[in-house]
PDB file of all heavy atoms in Angstrom:
ATOM      1  N   ILE P  33     -13.218  -8.699  15.885  1.00 94.00           N
ATOM      2  CA  ILE P  33     -12.924  -8.947  14.473  1.00 94.00           C
ATOM      3  C   ILE P  33     -13.137 -10.364  14.143  1.00 94.00           C
ATOM      4  O   ILE P  33     -12.746 -11.292  14.909  1.00 94.00           O
ATOM      5  CB  ILE P  33     -11.495  -8.537  14.165  1.00 94.00           C
ATOM      6  CG1 ILE P  33     -11.323  -6.985  14.295  1.00 94.00           C
ATOM      7  CG2 ILE P  33     -11.079  -8.945  12.726  1.00 94.00           C
ATOM      8  CD1 ILE P  33      -9.883  -6.498  14.160  1.00 94.00           C
ATOM      9  N   SER P  34     -13.802 -10.606  13.009  1.00 94.00           N
ATOM     10  CA  SER P  34     -14.179 -11.968  12.590  1.00 94.00           C
ATOM     11  C   SER P  34     -12.897 -12.776  12.404  1.00 94.00           C
ATOM     12  O   SER P  34     -11.897 -12.351  11.863  1.00 94.00           O
ATOM     13  CB  SER P  34     -14.946 -11.892  11.250  1.00 94.00           C
ATOM     14  OG  SER P  34     -15.181 -13.213  10.755  1.00 94.00           O
ATOM     15  N   GLY P  35     -12.880 -14.026  13.065  1.00 91.00           N
ATOM     16  CA  GLY P  35     -11.792 -14.902  12.948  1.00 91.00           C
ATOM     17  C   GLY P  35     -10.820 -14.806  14.134  1.00 91.00           C
ATOM     18  O   GLY P  35      -9.988 -15.666  14.316  1.00 91.00           O
ATOM     19  N   HIS P  36     -10.956 -13.755  14.914  1.00 91.00           N
ATOM     20  CA  HIS P  36     -10.132 -13.644  16.113  1.00 91.00           C
ATOM     21  C   HIS P  36     -10.641 -14.558  17.276  1.00 91.00           C
ATOM     22  O   HIS P  36     -11.846 -14.711  17.383  1.00 91.00           O
ATOM     23  CB  HIS P  36     -10.086 -12.202  16.614  1.00 91.00           C
ATOM     24  CG  HIS P  36      -9.183 -11.311  15.790  1.00 91.00           C
ATOM     25  ND1 HIS P  36      -8.880 -10.044  16.170  1.00 91.00           N
ATOM     26  CD2 HIS P  36      -8.514 -11.602  14.640  1.00 91.00           C
ATOM     27  CE1 HIS P  36      -8.048  -9.519  15.253  1.00 91.00           C
ATOM     28  NE2 HIS P  36      -7.808 -10.392  14.363  1.00 91.00           N
ATOM     29  N   ASN P  37      -9.746 -15.207  17.965  1.00 90.00           N
ATOM     30  CA  ASN P  37     -10.147 -16.106  18.985  1.00 90.00           C
ATOM     31  C   ASN P  37      -9.948 -15.678  20.416  1.00 90.00           C
ATOM     32  O   ASN P  37     -10.267 -16.357  21.382  1.00 90.00           O
ATOM     33  CB  ASN P  37      -9.515 -17.486  18.749  1.00 90.00           C
ATOM     34  CG  ASN P  37      -7.998 -17.379  18.906  1.00 90.00           C
ATOM     35  OD1 ASN P  37      -7.403 -16.313  19.027  1.00 90.00           O
ATOM     36  ND2 ASN P  37      -7.327 -18.559  18.856  1.00 90.00           N
ATOM     37  N   SER P  38      -9.332 -14.482  20.611  1.00 90.00           N
ATOM     38  CA  SER P  38      -9.191 -13.931  21.944  1.00 90.00           C
ATOM     39  C   SER P  38      -9.822 -12.536  22.033  1.00 90.00           C
ATOM     40  O   SER P  38      -9.674 -11.752  21.107  1.00 90.00           O
ATOM     41  CB  SER P  38      -7.710 -13.859  22.300  1.00 90.00           C
ATOM     42  OG  SER P  38      -7.151 -15.148  22.499  1.00 90.00           O
ATOM     43  N   LEU P  39     -10.461 -12.317  23.164  1.00 93.00           N
ATOM     44  CA  LEU P  39     -11.086 -11.032  23.371  1.00 93.00           C
ATOM     45  C   LEU P  39     -10.720 -10.509  24.791  1.00 93.00           C
ATOM     46  O   LEU P  39     -10.731 -11.253  25.729  1.00 93.00           O
ATOM     47  CB  LEU P  39     -12.605 -11.140  23.250  1.00 93.00           C
ATOM     48  CG  LEU P  39     -13.447  -9.846  23.342  1.00 93.00           C
ATOM     49  CD1 LEU P  39     -14.584  -9.867  22.335  1.00 93.00           C
ATOM     50  CD2 LEU P  39     -13.926  -9.675  24.772  1.00 93.00           C
ATOM     51  N   PHE P  40     -10.482  -9.207  24.838  1.00 93.00           N
ATOM     52  CA  PHE P  40      -9.988  -8.574  26.024  1.00 93.00           C
ATOM     53  C   PHE P  40     -10.850  -7.381  26.362  1.00 93.00           C
ATOM     54  O   PHE P  40     -11.303  -6.598  25.517  1.00 93.00           O
ATOM     55  CB  PHE P  40      -8.548  -8.050  25.880  1.00 93.00           C
ATOM     56  CG  PHE P  40      -7.555  -9.031  25.395  1.00 93.00           C
ATOM     57  CD1 PHE P  40      -7.553  -9.542  24.114  1.00 93.00           C
ATOM     58  CD2 PHE P  40      -6.635  -9.572  26.325  1.00 93.00           C
ATOM     59  CE1 PHE P  40      -6.622 -10.469  23.666  1.00 93.00           C
ATOM     60  CE2 PHE P  40      -5.684 -10.507  25.930  1.00 93.00           C
ATOM     61  CZ  PHE P  40      -5.667 -10.967  24.579  1.00 93.00           C
ATOM     62  N   TRP P  41     -11.163  -7.219  27.680  1.00 96.00           N
ATOM     63  CA  TRP P  41     -11.832  -5.993  28.143  1.00 96.00           C
ATOM     64  C   TRP P  41     -10.828  -5.250  29.031  1.00 96.00           C
ATOM     65  O   TRP P  41     -10.223  -5.755  29.931  1.00 96.00           O
ATOM     66  CB  TRP P  41     -13.066  -6.334  28.999  1.00 96.00           C
ATOM     67  CG  TRP P  41     -14.257  -6.734  28.217  1.00 96.00           C
ATOM     68  CD1 TRP P  41     -14.773  -7.972  27.983  1.00 96.00           C
ATOM     69  CD2 TRP P  41     -15.197  -5.835  27.601  1.00 96.00           C
ATOM     70  NE1 TRP P  41     -15.890  -7.924  27.202  1.00 96.00           N
ATOM     71  CE2 TRP P  41     -16.199  -6.591  26.958  1.00 96.00           C
ATOM     72  CE3 TRP P  41     -15.227  -4.431  27.475  1.00 96.00           C
ATOM     73  CZ2 TRP P  41     -17.241  -6.051  26.299  1.00 96.00           C
ATOM     74  CZ3 TRP P  41     -16.323  -3.843  26.750  1.00 96.00           C
ATOM     75  CH2 TRP P  41     -17.261  -4.683  26.149  1.00 96.00           C
ATOM     76  N   TYR P  42     -10.682  -3.963  28.698  1.00 95.00           N
ATOM     77  CA  TYR P  42      -9.822  -3.012  29.482  1.00 95.00           C
ATOM     78  C   TYR P  42     -10.620  -1.839  30.008  1.00 95.00           C
ATOM     79  O   TYR P  42     -11.653  -1.460  29.465  1.00 95.00           O
ATOM     80  CB  TYR P  42      -8.757  -2.464  28.539  1.00 95.00           C
ATOM     81  CG  TYR P  42      -7.700  -3.408  28.032  1.00 95.00           C
ATOM     82  CD1 TYR P  42      -7.860  -4.084  26.839  1.00 95.00           C
ATOM     83  CD2 TYR P  42      -6.491  -3.584  28.763  1.00 95.00           C
ATOM     84  CE1 TYR P  42      -6.917  -4.955  26.407  1.00 95.00           C
ATOM     85  CE2 TYR P  42      -5.535  -4.495  28.321  1.00 95.00           C
ATOM     86  CZ  TYR P  42      -5.740  -5.137  27.080  1.00 95.00           C
ATOM     87  OH  TYR P  42      -4.781  -6.041  26.620  1.00 95.00           O
ATOM     88  N   ARG P  43     -10.103  -1.273  31.058  1.00 96.00           N
ATOM     89  CA  ARG P  43     -10.658  -0.040  31.555  1.00 96.00           C
ATOM     90  C   ARG P  43      -9.499   0.971  31.628  1.00 96.00           C
ATOM     91  O   ARG P  43      -8.339   0.679  31.976  1.00 96.00           O
ATOM     92  CB  ARG P  43     -11.134  -0.272  33.012  1.00 96.00           C
ATOM     93  CG  ARG P  43     -11.688   1.015  33.673  1.00 96.00           C
ATOM     94  CD  ARG P  43     -12.410   0.712  35.022  1.00 96.00           C
ATOM     95  NE  ARG P  43     -11.511   0.219  36.028  1.00 96.00           N
ATOM     96  CZ  ARG P  43     -11.894  -0.127  37.248  1.00 96.00           C
ATOM     97  NH1 ARG P  43     -13.116   0.047  37.589  1.00 96.00           N
ATOM     98  NH2 ARG P  43     -10.970  -0.553  38.122  1.00 96.00           N
ATOM     99  N   GLN P  44      -9.814   2.200  31.211  1.00 95.00           N
ATOM    100  CA  GLN P  44      -8.762   3.245  31.124  1.00 95.00           C
ATOM    101  C   GLN P  44      -9.227   4.443  31.957  1.00 95.00           C
ATOM    102  O   GLN P  44     -10.292   5.039  31.683  1.00 95.00           O
ATOM    103  CB  GLN P  44      -8.446   3.665  29.709  1.00 95.00           C
ATOM    104  CG  GLN P  44      -7.304   4.670  29.642  1.00 95.00           C
ATOM    105  CD  GLN P  44      -6.897   4.970  28.185  1.00 95.00           C
ATOM    106  OE1 GLN P  44      -7.735   5.194  27.317  1.00 95.00           O
ATOM    107  NE2 GLN P  44      -5.598   5.011  27.947  1.00 95.00           N
ATOM    108  N   THR P  45      -8.384   4.841  32.899  1.00 92.00           N
ATOM    109  CA  THR P  45      -8.603   6.060  33.739  1.00 92.00           C
ATOM    110  C   THR P  45      -7.317   6.860  33.790  1.00 92.00           C
ATOM    111  O   THR P  45      -6.261   6.303  33.494  1.00 92.00           O
ATOM    112  CB  THR P  45      -9.062   5.745  35.128  1.00 92.00           C
ATOM    113  OG1 THR P  45      -8.035   5.000  35.757  1.00 92.00           O
ATOM    114  CG2 THR P  45     -10.375   4.956  35.142  1.00 92.00           C
ATOM    115  N   MET P  46      -7.412   8.129  34.096  1.00 87.00           N
ATOM    116  CA  MET P  46      -6.256   8.956  34.210  1.00 87.00           C
ATOM    117  C   MET P  46      -5.336   8.396  35.288  1.00 87.00           C
ATOM    118  O   MET P  46      -4.102   8.412  35.183  1.00 87.00           O
ATOM    119  CB  MET P  46      -6.661  10.359  34.464  1.00 87.00           C
ATOM    120  CG  MET P  46      -7.253  11.131  33.322  1.00 87.00           C
ATOM    121  SD  MET P  46      -6.032  11.356  31.955  1.00 87.00           S
ATOM    122  CE  MET P  46      -4.884  12.420  32.720  1.00 87.00           C
ATOM    123  N   MET P  47      -5.957   7.979  36.416  1.00 86.00           N
ATOM    124  CA  MET P  47      -5.192   7.629  37.559  1.00 86.00           C
ATOM    125  C   MET P  47      -4.487   6.210  37.370  1.00 86.00           C
ATOM    126  O   MET P  47      -3.345   6.038  37.786  1.00 86.00           O
ATOM    127  CB  MET P  47      -6.064   7.552  38.791  1.00 86.00           C
ATOM    128  CG  MET P  47      -6.585   8.868  39.269  1.00 86.00           C
ATOM    129  SD  MET P  47      -5.209   9.947  39.745  1.00 86.00           S
ATOM    130  CE  MET P  47      -4.610   9.045  41.148  1.00 86.00           C
ATOM    131  N   ARG P  48      -5.161   5.273  36.764  1.00 85.00           N
ATOM    132  CA  ARG P  48      -4.657   3.900  36.703  1.00 85.00           C
ATOM    133  C   ARG P  48      -4.294   3.435  35.320  1.00 85.00           C
ATOM    134  O   ARG P  48      -3.795   2.344  35.155  1.00 85.00           O
ATOM    135  CB  ARG P  48      -5.701   3.023  37.303  1.00 85.00           C
ATOM    136  CG  ARG P  48      -6.109   3.339  38.730  1.00 85.00           C
ATOM    137  CD  ARG P  48      -7.261   2.470  39.149  1.00 85.00           C
ATOM    138  NE  ARG P  48      -6.901   1.079  39.317  1.00 85.00           N
ATOM    139  CZ  ARG P  48      -6.405   0.503  40.454  1.00 85.00           C
ATOM    140  NH1 ARG P  48      -6.316   1.262  41.508  1.00 85.00           N
ATOM    141  NH2 ARG P  48      -6.133  -0.758  40.494  1.00 85.00           N
ATOM    142  N   GLY P  49      -4.401   4.305  34.316  1.00 86.00           N
ATOM    143  CA  GLY P  49      -4.025   3.989  32.956  1.00 86.00           C
ATOM    144  C   GLY P  49      -4.906   2.846  32.384  1.00 86.00           C
ATOM    145  O   GLY P  49      -6.034   2.709  32.744  1.00 86.00           O
ATOM    146  N   LEU P  50      -4.315   1.999  31.561  1.00 89.00           N
ATOM    147  CA  LEU P  50      -5.046   0.899  30.948  1.00 89.00           C
ATOM    148  C   LEU P  50      -4.939  -0.360  31.845  1.00 89.00           C
ATOM    149  O   LEU P  50      -3.843  -0.911  32.100  1.00 89.00           O
ATOM    150  CB  LEU P  50      -4.391   0.526  29.564  1.00 89.00           C
ATOM    151  CG  LEU P  50      -5.024   1.098  28.328  1.00 89.00           C
ATOM    152  CD1 LEU P  50      -4.153   0.866  27.175  1.00 89.00           C
ATOM    153  CD2 LEU P  50      -6.432   0.552  28.137  1.00 89.00           C
ATOM    154  N   GLU P  51      -6.065  -0.895  32.283  1.00 89.00           N
ATOM    155  CA  GLU P  51      -6.087  -1.984  33.103  1.00 89.00           C
ATOM    156  C   GLU P  51      -6.844  -3.149  32.415  1.00 89.00           C
ATOM    157  O   GLU P  51      -7.900  -2.988  31.933  1.00 89.00           O
ATOM    158  CB  GLU P  51      -6.836  -1.768  34.422  1.00 89.00           C
ATOM    159  CG  GLU P  51      -6.300  -0.649  35.303  1.00 89.00           C
ATOM    160  CD  GLU P  51      -7.196  -0.409  36.458  1.00 89.00           C
ATOM    161  OE1 GLU P  51      -8.222   0.286  36.292  1.00 89.00           O
ATOM    162  OE2 GLU P  51      -6.958  -1.024  37.549  1.00 89.00           O
TER     163      GLU P  51
END
Side-chain angles (χ1 to χ4, degrees):
Chain P
I33 292 174
S34 177
H36 283 189
N37 62 353
S38 289
L39 182 141
F40 304 76
W41 282 101
Y42 291 91
R43 178 172 66 178
Q44 186 176 43
T45 61
M46 287 295 293
M47 292 297 295
R48 301 174 68 92
L50 263 172
E51 300 175 277

